[in-house]
Structures are given as C-alpha cells and as structure tokens.
Amino acid sequence: MVEAQRDALLAAGFIVHLIAAHSDEFSASPLYPVRAAVNVATGWGLSPLEEIRRFQPDIVHVHNLFPNFSTSWLENWDGPIVATLHNFRPVCAAGTLHRDSQPCTLCPQKGSHHAVLNACYRNSVVATVPLAIRNRRGVDKDKVLSRADRILVLSSRAERLYRQAGLSLNTVQIIENFVNSSGFTPDSPLGKSWVYIGRLTEEKGIMRLLEHWPPDRSLVVYGDGPLRSSVMKSTCENVTYGGQVAREDIPQILAASSGLVFSSLWAEGAVPLTYIESLAAGRPVVAISGNAAADDILVSETGAVFDDWDQLPMALTRVDADAKNFSRRARERYDAGYGAGNWVERISEIYRDVIRERGCSDSLPIDAT
C-alpha cells in the first residue's frame, strides 16, 4: 500500500523519497530477533534522519517504524509529520485487538502485561515482552503519535477503537486506502462461484467460513498462511482451493466470480484492499459483521452483512436475488471514494493543512488532482 501511495503521488507531480527497511532482508541474521526486540522496547534502531535531512521534504509521512526503525529521531526533526495507523499495534501486541476468536481490549483497558500473559505476539511470551514494555504507558505516550501533527486512520471503526483506547482525536483524520482501477472489468458478466481472497489465518475467519458454507453454492478459496493444510483438507465438491494468488491476477479472478465473501473476525485496521478490489470489479460482497468491510457495506449497500454464521446462506440468497443492482452499486461506491485520484486529492489537502498549521511554506503541486 505504501508503494501504491508513492506511485500515486509521483503521478500527481509530487517529489517523493521512500525510506524503507524490510524485515525479510534482516531475518537471516541469528541476532535479528534480539536486535528487533531491543529496538521495540527502547526506541533504538535504524534512523532515517540523515536521509530526511538530505532530501529536505515539505512533510514526512510515517507509516511503520516497527520493528526496525528507531523513534528517537522524531525529537530531532522539526518539520511537519503525518503518521498512518495501519493496524492496532500501538495498543495491542498482536495488532488486531482480537484473541481466541473474539474481540479483545484487555491491554488498552487493563494494562499491556495481559499481552505477555497471553503470548499475543507470534504466540511467544518472549517475543511479546518488548511490545508490552513499549505499550505500557498508553497510546497518548506513544512516541510517534505524540509527535505527529496529523494521525491518519483507515476506517471509521479504527477511529472509534482508538478513541476508546484513549487516543486524543484532535489530530486524527480518516482517509481510506485506494486501489488503482487498471485491469478491472466491472461490466463483465457475473460468474458462478463466490471467492475468498486473503490470508489463511484464524482471525480471518476462513475455517468458520468453510464450516458454514452452504452445499448448494460454489466457493473458491485463494490465499496462503498457517491454515493452508486445514483449508485443503476441507475442500469438497463445491469448495475448491485455488492457491496463493498474485495481486495482478485478482482483477481476473473477481471478474469470473459471483462476488467476494469477507469473513474476517477482527475489526481490520483499514477498509480492506480485497473489499475495495471487489468494488472496483463491480462485484458484491457478503461479510460477517464487526469489521471495516461490513461497516462500509451497511452504508453503501454493496452487498449483505450477516451477524451469525447460520445467517450466511440467507445473505448469499439476498445478494443473488438482486445481483445486478448490487454489482452496479459496488462500482459506484468505488468511483465515489476508492480510486487513486480521490486519495491524492484528500491527502494533498491534509498535507497542505498540516504545513500551513506549522507556519511553513510548501512546494507541493498546485493542482494534485
């Protein structure tokens, strides 16, 4: 998503320098887990400050410092900073506010030591300790969030959960993710199979979905993750496993489908990309309640939401009965708010507001739309 935002800004005339550290490149070192843990607990780590000073930007946009970058550099950079919260890591070691198949807010409500007791990060007490140490002072003491001139959350649900966790909302704005429309064919005829596209993990609800999938409808599951073997064992005459899928293949997969099934059991820190991709493809979505995709469906009527797994067949029937109208509304919803142009226009306004509030001059494109 960060790379997509960079590309959209470049296309709109911005000059962008991306500073990134990829954990996969460091993980081969046997000392990396220890070094990452120390970084998280102390705020030490790589500093982007030298690169930032060379670039001299109008604004710095922070997406994710965990677990490789330090936070100490924030005290030594005087320019405007915007920070995006992609998940719930500042208040939850797992980043999901979800545990044991249900929502969990123990840490923000009763203390971050509960994460250690429940080994919330990668099912490891040792790996969870640094995050619990970092989060022990509460969300308002988070070094990134207390320094940022504007904090961006990616859904109304995320805003509500962060507010409940104690984050002051004076500097918070909602700006959803986007998907480039290239490759999507919303006018293509609906296919015969529903699809699931996503990680095969417990919090994504994939096993609950397979347990309750009705025998009279076809489902194709795409994705990979720790539950892959369980998913493969659950295949039957009307449920097939399509394997891991490249992002560039998603438009074609959605074009051949009846729609997307979104089964995530956690709140989702953002309106999910797979949901937005389904809208771009003009495909309706059926989702279980309690996540950001379901919230948007209820507002925009791009599909159906069910509260209990026994209601899944009814939700599918409702969408099938009026599939063309749901498909039309899906693409209309995408056009109204989830294209790259919409995002660039909104982020440009946010950047300018922050720069103006700090009394700085800017060299941003005059017309970024």
Side-chain angles (χ1 to χ4, degrees):
M1 193 66 245
V2 173
E3 291 174 347
Q5 291 184 12
R6 175 201 59 193
D7 294 345
L9 289 170
L10 288 170
F14 286 78
I15 301 171
V16 184
H17 179 54
L18 177 60
I19 303 174
H22 300 277
S23 296
D24 290 347
E25 298 175 2
F26 301 114
S27 58
S29 169
L31 294 178
Y32 176 67
V34 175
R35 187 167 66 248
V38 172
N39 291 349
V40 172
T42 64
W44 298 349
L46 301 173
S47 173
L49 191 57
E50 184 177 343
E51 281 193 68
I52 292 173
R53 284 174 172 163
R54 282 200 303 266
F55 187 61
Q56 285 297 307
D58 294 296
I59 196 159
V60 172
H61 192 152
V62 176
H63 284 274
N64 182 31
L65 301 181
F66 172 84
N68 299 307
F69 282 106
S70 73
T71 54
S72 59
W73 66 270
L74 293 161
E75 301 171 2
N76 299 308
W77 176 252
D78 295 330
I81 291 180
V82 168
T84 293
L85 294 173
H86 289 267
N87 53 38
F88 300 107
R89 192 84 64 191
V91 296
C92 171
T96 60
L97 290 175
H98 181 270
R99 182 174 59 85
D100 295 337
S101 300
Q102 59 186 356
C104 176
T105 55
L106 273 176
C107 287
Q109 291 182 349
K110 298 184 179 181
S112 63
H113 64 282
H114 288 281
V116 179
L117 296 176
N118 292 287
C120 288
Y121 183 63
R122 296 189 175 184
N123 294 315
S124 168
V125 170
V126 174
T128 303
V129 167
L131 284 159
I133 293 172
R134 189 195 68 176
N135 292 350
R136 72 189 186 281
R137 298 175 63 192
V139 68
D140 275 337
K141 301 297 183 181
D142 182 278
K143 291 186 177 180
V144 174
L145 304 185
S146 61
R147 170 61 179 84
D149 297 280
R150 193 75 86 249
I151 299 166
L152 307 183
V153 293
L154 304 176
S155 70
S156 58
R157 181 172 288 268
E159 180 194 40
R160 183 166 65 253
L161 289 170
Y162 267 112
R163 182 175 66 247
Q164 293 170 355
L167 181 65
S168 172
L169 294 185
N170 293 333
T171 59
V172 173
Q173 285 185 243
I174 300 171
I175 178 168
E176 294 92 347
N177 285 327
F178 68 89
V179 166
N180 194 304
S181 62
S182 177
F184 291 96
T185 54
D187 295 328
S188 59
L190 292 166
K192 295 182 179 180
S193 296
W194 287 83
V195 294
Y196 167 97
I197 304 173
R199 286 276 294 164
L200 306 182
T201 59
E202 182 271 334
E203 69 271 12
K204 288 293 187 178
I206 180 60
M207 297 312 299
R208 300 290 295 276
L209 174 63
L210 296 181
E211 289 167 9
H212 293 85
W213 187 255
D216 60 340
R217 283 183 175 80
S218 175
L219 174 69
V220 183
V221 176
Y222 294 96
D224 199 2
L227 295 180
R228 179 178 59 178
S229 60
S230 298
V231 169
M232 295 179 70
K233 290 177 183 177
S234 299
T235 58
C236 55
E237 184 176 348
N238 66 315
V239 177
T240 57
Y241 175 56
Q244 191 171 10
V245 59
R247 185 156 295 279
E248 57 266 25
D249 295 330
I250 290 178
Q252 183 179 354
I253 288 171
L254 287 168
S257 74
S258 299
L260 177 77
V261 185
F262 195 81
S263 57
S264 187
L265 303 175
W266 75 288
E268 299 279 345
V271 177
L273 289 182
T274 50
Y275 171 71
I276 301 174
E277 287 165 335
S278 191
L279 300 184
R283 293 300 181 262
V285 183
V286 169
I288 191 165
S289 60
N291 57 63
D295 293 342
D296 196 76
I297 292 170
L298 292 172
V299 170
S300 57
E301 297 185 333
T302 54
V305 174
F306 58 97
D307 298 319
D308 185 89
W309 287 102
D310 291 337
Q311 299 172 357
L312 172 59
M314 188 187 313
L316 293 167
T317 298
R318 178 188 168 197
V319 172
D320 284 341
D322 197 17
K324 289 185 177 180
N325 281 326
F326 280 116
S327 296
R328 173 182 53 79
R329 285 196 290 268
R331 181 62 192 206
E332 288 174 350
R333 178 60 167 165
Y334 170 81
D335 289 334
Y338 289 119
N342 302 91
W343 181 84
V344 168
E345 184 175 356
R346 294 175 65 194
I347 199 69
S348 299
E349 183 178 350
I350 290 170
Y351 287 164
R352 286 195 171 88
D353 285 347
V354 169
I355 292 169
R356 185 168 55 249
E357 289 166 9
R358 290 290 298 272
C360 304
S361 60
D362 72 75
S363 57
L364 303 185
I366 296 175
D367 183 6
T369 59

